Structure formats: structure tokens, C-alpha cells
mmCIF file of all heavy atoms in Angstrom:
data_model
loop_
_atom_site.group_PDB
_atom_site.id
_atom_site.type_symbol
_atom_site.label_atom_id
_atom_site.label_comp_id
_atom_site.label_asym_id
_atom_site.label_seq_id
_atom_site.Cartn_x
_atom_site.Cartn_y
_atom_site.Cartn_z
ATOM 1 N N TRP A 20 -23.544 -2.434 -6.309
ATOM 2 C CA TRP A 20 -23.121 -2.874 -5.022
ATOM 3 C C TRP A 20 -21.858 -3.651 -5.083
ATOM 4 O O TRP A 20 -21.055 -3.704 -4.101
ATOM 5 C CB TRP A 20 -24.246 -3.659 -4.377
ATOM 6 C CG TRP A 20 -25.434 -2.823 -4.126
ATOM 7 C CD1 TRP A 20 -26.578 -2.792 -4.831
ATOM 8 C CD2 TRP A 20 -25.559 -1.758 -3.170
ATOM 9 N NE1 TRP A 20 -27.434 -1.797 -4.387
ATOM 10 C CE2 TRP A 20 -26.809 -1.170 -3.363
ATOM 11 C CE3 TRP A 20 -24.713 -1.271 -2.188
ATOM 12 C CZ2 TRP A 20 -27.253 -0.093 -2.564
ATOM 13 C CZ3 TRP A 20 -25.164 -0.186 -1.406
ATOM 14 C CH2 TRP A 20 -26.406 0.349 -1.593
ATOM 15 N N SER A 21 -21.537 -4.233 -6.204
ATOM 16 C CA SER A 21 -20.213 -4.891 -6.323
ATOM 17 C C SER A 21 -19.123 -3.863 -6.298
ATOM 18 O O SER A 21 -18.006 -4.104 -5.764
ATOM 19 C CB SER A 21 -20.154 -5.719 -7.621
ATOM 20 O OG SER A 21 -19.939 -4.872 -8.746
ATOM 21 N N ALA A 22 -19.373 -2.664 -6.859
ATOM 22 C CA ALA A 22 -18.426 -1.601 -6.765
ATOM 23 C C ALA A 22 -18.214 -1.134 -5.308
ATOM 24 O O ALA A 22 -17.120 -0.817 -4.906
ATOM 25 C CB ALA A 22 -18.883 -0.423 -7.629
ATOM 26 N N VAL A 23 -19.316 -1.147 -4.548
ATOM 27 C CA VAL A 23 -19.251 -0.836 -3.147
ATOM 28 C C VAL A 23 -18.430 -1.894 -2.401
ATOM 29 O O VAL A 23 -17.549 -1.578 -1.577
ATOM 30 C CB VAL A 23 -20.636 -0.710 -2.521
ATOM 31 C CG1 VAL A 23 -20.537 -0.494 -1.013
ATOM 32 C CG2 VAL A 23 -21.401 0.475 -3.162
ATOM 33 N N VAL A 24 -18.680 -3.169 -2.718
ATOM 34 C CA VAL A 24 -17.875 -4.270 -2.108
ATOM 35 C C VAL A 24 -16.413 -4.096 -2.465
ATOM 36 O O VAL A 24 -15.524 -4.288 -1.646
ATOM 37 C CB VAL A 24 -18.402 -5.663 -2.588
ATOM 38 C CG1 VAL A 24 -17.463 -6.745 -2.123
ATOM 39 C CG2 VAL A 24 -19.811 -5.896 -2.072
ATOM 40 N N ASN A 25 -16.130 -3.729 -3.720
ATOM 41 C CA ASN A 25 -14.760 -3.459 -4.135
ATOM 42 C C ASN A 25 -14.140 -2.369 -3.279
ATOM 43 O O ASN A 25 -12.979 -2.467 -2.864
ATOM 44 C CB ASN A 25 -14.718 -3.044 -5.607
ATOM 45 C CG ASN A 25 -14.464 -4.201 -6.530
ATOM 46 O OD1 ASN A 25 -13.764 -5.125 -6.180
ATOM 47 N ND2 ASN A 25 -15.035 -4.153 -7.707
ATOM 48 N N GLY A 26 -14.907 -1.299 -3.012
ATOM 49 C CA GLY A 26 -14.408 -0.217 -2.223
ATOM 50 C C GLY A 26 -14.068 -0.665 -0.788
ATOM 51 O O GLY A 26 -13.036 -0.317 -0.230
ATOM 52 N N VAL A 27 -14.966 -1.486 -0.213
ATOM 53 C CA VAL A 27 -14.774 -1.981 1.142
ATOM 54 C C VAL A 27 -13.562 -2.933 1.188
ATOM 55 O O VAL A 27 -12.697 -2.863 2.075
ATOM 56 C CB VAL A 27 -16.026 -2.694 1.651
ATOM 57 C CG1 VAL A 27 -15.758 -3.373 3.012
ATOM 58 C CG2 VAL A 27 -17.194 -1.702 1.795
ATOM 59 N N ALA A 28 -13.449 -3.843 0.189
ATOM 60 C CA ALA A 28 -12.348 -4.804 0.149
ATOM 61 C C ALA A 28 -11.006 -4.115 -0.096
ATOM 62 O O ALA A 28 -9.949 -4.570 0.353
ATOM 63 C CB ALA A 28 -12.624 -5.858 -0.928
ATOM 64 N N ALA A 29 -11.052 -3.014 -0.863
ATOM 65 C CA ALA A 29 -9.808 -2.348 -1.208
ATOM 66 C C ALA A 29 -9.084 -1.812 -0.001
ATOM 67 O O ALA A 29 -7.827 -1.800 0.019
ATOM 68 C CB ALA A 29 -10.114 -1.213 -2.187
ATOM 69 N N VAL A 30 -9.815 -1.365 1.018
ATOM 70 C CA VAL A 30 -9.147 -0.686 2.165
ATOM 71 C C VAL A 30 -8.149 -1.600 2.864
ATOM 72 O O VAL A 30 -6.986 -1.275 2.985
ATOM 73 C CB VAL A 30 -10.190 -0.115 3.143
ATOM 74 C CG1 VAL A 30 -9.485 0.531 4.356
ATOM 75 C CG2 VAL A 30 -11.038 0.937 2.441
ATOM 76 N N PRO A 31 -8.561 -2.790 3.369
ATOM 77 C CA PRO A 31 -7.566 -3.631 4.038
ATOM 78 C C PRO A 31 -6.511 -4.130 3.096
ATOM 79 O O PRO A 31 -5.326 -4.281 3.501
ATOM 80 C CB PRO A 31 -8.419 -4.827 4.583
ATOM 81 C CG PRO A 31 -9.672 -4.796 3.815
ATOM 82 C CD PRO A 31 -9.927 -3.386 3.437
ATOM 83 N N LEU A 32 -6.841 -4.358 1.829
ATOM 84 C CA LEU A 32 -5.824 -4.810 0.883
ATOM 85 C C LEU A 32 -4.799 -3.712 0.628
ATOM 86 O O LEU A 32 -3.587 -3.953 0.538
ATOM 87 C CB LEU A 32 -6.465 -5.236 -0.430
ATOM 88 C CG LEU A 32 -5.548 -5.798 -1.530
ATOM 89 C CD1 LEU A 32 -4.754 -6.986 -0.974
ATOM 90 C CD2 LEU A 32 -6.321 -6.235 -2.754
ATOM 91 N N MET A 33 -5.272 -2.463 0.531
ATOM 92 C CA MET A 33 -4.333 -1.352 0.316
ATOM 93 C C MET A 33 -3.443 -1.169 1.541
ATOM 94 O O MET A 33 -2.242 -0.840 1.376
ATOM 95 C CB MET A 33 -5.136 -0.065 -0.014
ATOM 96 C CG MET A 33 -5.793 -0.139 -1.382
ATOM 97 S SD MET A 33 -7.033 1.159 -1.631
ATOM 98 C CE MET A 33 -6.000 2.607 -1.856
ATOM 99 N N ILE A 34 -4.032 -1.291 2.721
ATOM 100 C CA ILE A 34 -3.197 -1.176 3.941
ATOM 101 C C ILE A 34 -2.097 -2.261 3.926
ATOM 102 O O ILE A 34 -0.930 -1.983 4.206
ATOM 103 C CB ILE A 34 -4.088 -1.349 5.206
ATOM 104 C CG1 ILE A 34 -4.998 -0.130 5.335
ATOM 105 C CG2 ILE A 34 -3.207 -1.510 6.452
ATOM 106 C CD1 ILE A 34 -6.047 -0.243 6.464
ATOM 107 N N ALA A 35 -2.482 -3.502 3.585
ATOM 108 C CA ALA A 35 -1.514 -4.594 3.509
ATOM 109 C C ALA A 35 -0.432 -4.304 2.471
ATOM 110 O O ALA A 35 0.775 -4.518 2.686
ATOM 111 C CB ALA A 35 -2.195 -5.903 3.194
ATOM 112 N N MET A 36 -0.832 -3.751 1.299
ATOM 113 C CA MET A 36 0.135 -3.395 0.286
ATOM 114 C C MET A 36 1.114 -2.340 0.749
ATOM 115 O O MET A 36 2.325 -2.416 0.515
ATOM 116 C CB MET A 36 -0.618 -2.898 -0.987
ATOM 117 C CG MET A 36 -1.262 -3.983 -1.803
ATOM 118 S SD MET A 36 -2.351 -3.267 -3.060
ATOM 119 C CE MET A 36 -1.237 -2.173 -3.908
ATOM 120 N N MET A 37 0.584 -1.327 1.453
ATOM 121 C CA MET A 37 1.447 -0.230 1.911
ATOM 122 C C MET A 37 2.455 -0.787 2.935
ATOM 123 O O MET A 37 3.634 -0.357 2.934
ATOM 124 C CB MET A 37 0.581 0.862 2.536
ATOM 125 C CG MET A 37 -0.290 1.602 1.562
ATOM 126 S SD MET A 37 0.607 2.302 0.157
ATOM 127 C CE MET A 37 1.713 3.433 0.986
ATOM 128 N N LEU A 38 1.982 -1.666 3.800
ATOM 129 C CA LEU A 38 2.889 -2.252 4.788
ATOM 130 C C LEU A 38 3.944 -3.117 4.127
ATOM 131 O O LEU A 38 5.137 -3.095 4.485
ATOM 132 C CB LEU A 38 2.095 -3.043 5.810
ATOM 133 C CG LEU A 38 1.189 -2.228 6.714
ATOM 134 C CD1 LEU A 38 0.351 -3.110 7.627
ATOM 135 C CD2 LEU A 38 1.954 -1.200 7.544
ATOM 136 N N MET A 39 3.513 -3.927 3.106
ATOM 137 C CA MET A 39 4.482 -4.742 2.361
ATOM 138 C C MET A 39 5.508 -3.867 1.647
ATOM 139 O O MET A 39 6.714 -4.135 1.663
ATOM 140 C CB MET A 39 3.715 -5.620 1.344
ATOM 141 C CG MET A 39 2.914 -6.746 1.982
ATOM 142 S SD MET A 39 1.835 -7.590 0.775
ATOM 143 C CE MET A 39 3.063 -8.407 -0.235
ATOM 144 N N GLY A 40 5.028 -2.837 0.955
ATOM 145 C CA GLY A 40 5.919 -1.969 0.194
ATOM 146 C C GLY A 40 6.888 -1.210 1.061
ATOM 147 O O GLY A 40 7.926 -0.769 0.580
ATOM 148 N N SER A 41 6.558 -1.021 2.353
ATOM 149 C CA SER A 41 7.420 -0.285 3.280
ATOM 150 C C SER A 41 8.370 -1.222 4.053
ATOM 151 O O SER A 41 9.229 -0.766 4.783
ATOM 152 C CB SER A 41 6.555 0.506 4.268
ATOM 153 O OG SER A 41 5.702 1.407 3.576
ATOM 154 N N SER A 42 8.165 -2.516 3.937
ATOM 155 C CA SER A 42 8.877 -3.471 4.780
ATOM 156 C C SER A 42 10.169 -3.947 4.124
ATOM 157 O O SER A 42 10.182 -4.447 2.988
ATOM 158 C CB SER A 42 7.969 -4.715 5.049
ATOM 159 O OG SER A 42 8.703 -5.735 5.656
ATOM 160 N N ARG A 43 11.266 -3.797 4.845
ATOM 161 C CA ARG A 43 12.546 -4.317 4.307
ATOM 162 C C ARG A 43 12.534 -5.833 4.307
ATOM 163 O O ARG A 43 13.240 -6.443 3.461
ATOM 164 C CB ARG A 43 13.708 -3.789 5.194
ATOM 165 C CG ARG A 43 14.030 -2.344 4.915
ATOM 166 C CD ARG A 43 15.386 -1.956 5.498
ATOM 167 N NE ARG A 43 15.793 -0.628 5.050
ATOM 168 C CZ ARG A 43 16.476 -0.399 3.953
ATOM 169 N NH1 ARG A 43 16.807 -1.417 3.183
ATOM 170 N NH2 ARG A 43 16.817 0.829 3.604
ATOM 171 N N LYS A 44 11.799 -6.437 5.153
ATOM 172 C CA LYS A 44 11.673 -7.891 5.176
ATOM 173 C C LYS A 44 11.065 -8.408 3.872
ATOM 174 O O LYS A 44 11.438 -9.484 3.343
ATOM 175 C CB LYS A 44 10.821 -8.360 6.345
ATOM 176 C CG LYS A 44 10.683 -9.881 6.469
ATOM 177 C CD LYS A 44 9.855 -10.246 7.671
ATOM 178 C CE LYS A 44 9.661 -11.749 7.745
ATOM 179 N NZ LYS A 44 8.830 -12.153 8.915
ATOM 180 N N VAL A 45 10.121 -7.619 3.336
ATOM 181 C CA VAL A 45 9.463 -8.031 2.090
ATOM 182 C C VAL A 45 10.204 -7.523 0.875
ATOM 183 O O VAL A 45 10.454 -8.274 -0.076
ATOM 184 C CB VAL A 45 8.008 -7.516 2.042
ATOM 185 C CG1 VAL A 45 7.314 -7.836 0.719
ATOM 186 C CG2 VAL A 45 7.200 -8.060 3.216
ATOM 187 N N MET A 46 10.595 -6.260 0.900
ATOM 188 C CA MET A 46 11.127 -5.562 -0.296
ATOM 189 C C MET A 46 12.669 -5.444 -0.311
ATOM 190 O O MET A 46 13.220 -4.961 -1.306
ATOM 191 C CB MET A 46 10.525 -4.192 -0.403
ATOM 192 C CG MET A 46 8.976 -4.172 -0.473
ATOM 193 S SD MET A 46 8.344 -4.741 -2.051
ATOM 194 C CE MET A 46 8.719 -3.340 -3.107
ATOM 195 N N GLY A 47 13.321 -5.833 0.772
ATOM 196 C CA GLY A 47 14.787 -5.626 0.820
ATOM 197 C C GLY A 47 15.092 -4.138 0.756
ATOM 198 O O GLY A 47 14.503 -3.327 1.426
ATOM 199 N N LYS A 48 16.089 -3.780 -0.072
ATOM 200 C CA LYS A 48 16.462 -2.391 -0.183
ATOM 201 C C LYS A 48 15.560 -1.606 -1.159
ATOM 202 O O LYS A 48 15.791 -0.424 -1.385
ATOM 203 C CB LYS A 48 17.924 -2.281 -0.631
ATOM 204 C CG LYS A 48 18.212 -2.746 -2.050
ATOM 205 C CD LYS A 48 19.676 -2.531 -2.380
ATOM 206 C CE LYS A 48 20.016 -2.905 -3.804
ATOM 207 N NZ LYS A 48 21.421 -2.698 -4.127
ATOM 208 N N PHE A 49 14.537 -2.253 -1.719
ATOM 209 C CA PHE A 49 13.652 -1.588 -2.697
ATOM 210 C C PHE A 49 12.333 -1.211 -2.114
ATOM 211 O O PHE A 49 11.296 -1.258 -2.768
ATOM 212 C CB PHE A 49 13.472 -2.511 -3.911
ATOM 213 C CG PHE A 49 14.699 -2.799 -4.685
ATOM 214 C CD1 PHE A 49 15.327 -4.018 -4.604
ATOM 215 C CD2 PHE A 49 15.302 -1.790 -5.433
ATOM 216 C CE1 PHE A 49 16.487 -4.286 -5.315
ATOM 217 C CE2 PHE A 49 16.490 -2.062 -6.149
ATOM 218 C CZ PHE A 49 17.065 -3.303 -6.077
ATOM 219 N N THR A 50 12.330 -0.792 -0.822
ATOM 220 C CA THR A 50 11.135 -0.248 -0.254
ATOM 221 C C THR A 50 10.709 0.989 -1.039
ATOM 222 O O THR A 50 11.542 1.686 -1.635
ATOM 223 C CB THR A 50 11.341 0.125 1.230
ATOM 224 O OG1 THR A 50 12.460 0.991 1.336
ATOM 225 C CG2 THR A 50 11.602 -1.124 2.077
ATOM 226 N N MET A 51 9.392 1.245 -1.045
ATOM 227 C CA MET A 51 8.883 2.334 -1.865
ATOM 228 C C MET A 51 9.438 3.703 -1.439
ATOM 229 O O MET A 51 9.642 3.952 -0.287
ATOM 230 C CB MET A 51 7.380 2.352 -1.810
ATOM 231 C CG MET A 51 6.764 2.834 -0.501
ATOM 232 S SD MET A 51 4.979 2.775 -0.433
ATOM 233 C CE MET A 51 4.698 1.108 0.069
ATOM 234 N N PRO A 52 9.738 4.563 -2.430
ATOM 235 C CA PRO A 52 10.219 5.908 -2.139
ATOM 236 C C PRO A 52 9.096 6.763 -1.487
ATOM 237 O O PRO A 52 7.924 6.421 -1.613
ATOM 238 C CB PRO A 52 10.615 6.451 -3.484
ATOM 239 C CG PRO A 52 9.817 5.670 -4.463
ATOM 240 C CD PRO A 52 9.656 4.309 -3.886
ATOM 241 N N TRP A 53 9.472 7.865 -0.849
ATOM 242 C CA TRP A 53 8.501 8.621 -0.091
ATOM 243 C C TRP A 53 7.350 9.184 -0.936
ATOM 244 O O TRP A 53 6.246 9.257 -0.450
ATOM 245 C CB TRP A 53 9.231 9.743 0.699
ATOM 246 C CG TRP A 53 9.716 10.900 -0.095
ATOM 247 C CD1 TRP A 53 10.954 11.103 -0.555
ATOM 248 C CD2 TRP A 53 8.949 12.023 -0.501
ATOM 249 N NE1 TRP A 53 11.062 12.285 -1.249
ATOM 250 C CE2 TRP A 53 9.825 12.877 -1.265
ATOM 251 C CE3 TRP A 53 7.639 12.457 -0.362
ATOM 252 C CZ2 TRP A 53 9.429 14.073 -1.786
ATOM 253 C CZ3 TRP A 53 7.221 13.616 -0.927
ATOM 254 C CH2 TRP A 53 8.093 14.415 -1.624
ATOM 255 N N PRO A 54 7.574 9.591 -2.209
ATOM 256 C CA PRO A 54 6.379 10.105 -2.950
ATOM 257 C C PRO A 54 5.320 9.017 -3.122
ATOM 258 O O PRO A 54 4.126 9.292 -2.990
ATOM 259 C CB PRO A 54 6.990 10.538 -4.312
ATOM 260 C CG PRO A 54 8.442 10.822 -4.018
ATOM 261 C CD PRO A 54 8.781 9.784 -2.996
ATOM 262 N N LEU A 55 5.750 7.788 -3.482
ATOM 263 C CA LEU A 55 4.790 6.687 -3.584
ATOM 264 C C LEU A 55 4.145 6.403 -2.238
ATOM 265 O O LEU A 55 2.928 6.130 -2.171
ATOM 266 C CB LEU A 55 5.487 5.431 -4.109
ATOM 267 C CG LEU A 55 5.668 5.279 -5.627
ATOM 268 C CD1 LEU A 55 6.245 3.923 -5.944
ATOM 269 C CD2 LEU A 55 4.361 5.512 -6.339
ATOM 270 N N LYS A 56 4.932 6.430 -1.200
ATOM 271 C CA LYS A 56 4.386 6.171 0.110
ATOM 272 C C LYS A 56 3.332 7.218 0.480
ATOM 273 O O LYS A 56 2.277 6.890 1.015
ATOM 274 C CB LYS A 56 5.524 6.178 1.168
ATOM 275 C CG LYS A 56 5.106 5.700 2.536
ATOM 276 C CD LYS A 56 6.322 5.661 3.497
ATOM 277 C CE LYS A 56 7.334 4.572 3.083
ATOM 278 N NZ LYS A 56 8.397 4.419 4.099
ATOM 279 N N LEU A 57 3.638 8.486 0.194
ATOM 280 C CA LEU A 57 2.683 9.565 0.524
ATOM 281 C C LEU A 57 1.374 9.367 -0.223
ATOM 282 O O LEU A 57 0.294 9.371 0.419
ATOM 283 C CB LEU A 57 3.360 10.954 0.166
ATOM 284 C CG LEU A 57 2.407 12.123 0.273
ATOM 285 C CD1 LEU A 57 1.955 12.368 1.698
ATOM 286 C CD2 LEU A 57 3.132 13.397 -0.275
ATOM 287 N N PHE A 58 1.465 9.231 -1.555
ATOM 288 C CA PHE A 58 0.244 9.164 -2.336
ATOM 289 C C PHE A 58 -0.453 7.793 -2.133
ATOM 290 O O PHE A 58 -1.678 7.717 -2.240
ATOM 291 C CB PHE A 58 0.534 9.386 -3.832
ATOM 292 C CG PHE A 58 0.701 10.822 -4.154
ATOM 293 C CD1 PHE A 58 1.957 11.397 -4.261
ATOM 294 C CD2 PHE A 58 -0.413 11.651 -4.379
ATOM 295 C CE1 PHE A 58 2.117 12.758 -4.567
ATOM 296 C CE2 PHE A 58 -0.290 12.985 -4.685
ATOM 297 C CZ PHE A 58 0.998 13.556 -4.772
ATOM 298 N N GLY A 59 0.309 6.759 -1.831
ATOM 299 C CA GLY A 59 -0.290 5.468 -1.533
ATOM 300 C C GLY A 59 -1.133 5.542 -0.272
ATOM 301 O O GLY A 59 -2.280 5.037 -0.233
ATOM 302 N N TRP A 60 -0.632 6.154 0.794
ATOM 303 C CA TRP A 60 -1.391 6.309 2.029
ATOM 304 C C TRP A 60 -2.543 7.284 1.826
ATOM 305 O O TRP A 60 -3.630 7.081 2.425
ATOM 306 C CB TRP A 60 -0.502 6.747 3.164
ATOM 307 C CG TRP A 60 0.298 5.630 3.794
ATOM 308 C CD1 TRP A 60 1.648 5.508 3.839
ATOM 309 C CD2 TRP A 60 -0.222 4.503 4.476
ATOM 310 N NE1 TRP A 60 1.984 4.371 4.473
ATOM 311 C CE2 TRP A 60 0.880 3.702 4.896
ATOM 312 C CE3 TRP A 60 -1.518 4.045 4.761
ATOM 313 C CZ2 TRP A 60 0.740 2.495 5.580
ATOM 314 C CZ3 TRP A 60 -1.685 2.823 5.436
ATOM 315 C CH2 TRP A 60 -0.563 2.092 5.829
#
């Protein structure tokens, strides 16, 4: 069940990571390239 909790917790954290990685405010000119963005989503 801890693995299940990990799965549930991972979803909002992954969404936040994807938004951070796509944000120029956070990453400047080093926002993630489209292949990473595709596979990340």
C-alpha cells in the first residue's frame, strides 16, 4: 500500500514538475525540450 500511496502522491508532484519545467519564470531559457515534455506528460 505504500507503493499505492507513492503512485497517488506521484501524480500531483509530476504535474507540478511538468509545469515548473515548462515555465520560463522557473527555468529561464532552459525550459524542457519537446521530447522531454511529451514523454513527461
Side-chain angles (χ1 to χ4, degrees):
W20 296 104
S21 76
V23 174
V24 172
N25 266 326
V27 173
V30 177
L32 183 56
M33 290 166 75
I34 292 173
M36 284 171 54
M37 293 305 299
L38 295 176
M39 289 171 67
S41 302
S42 171
R43 285 194 170 272
K44 181 179 179 182
V45 177
M46 302 287 285
K48 68 178 183 179
F49 296 107
T50 54
M51 71 182 86
W53 72 263
L55 276 186
K56 188 177 294 187
L57 172 63
F58 281 98
W60 279 117

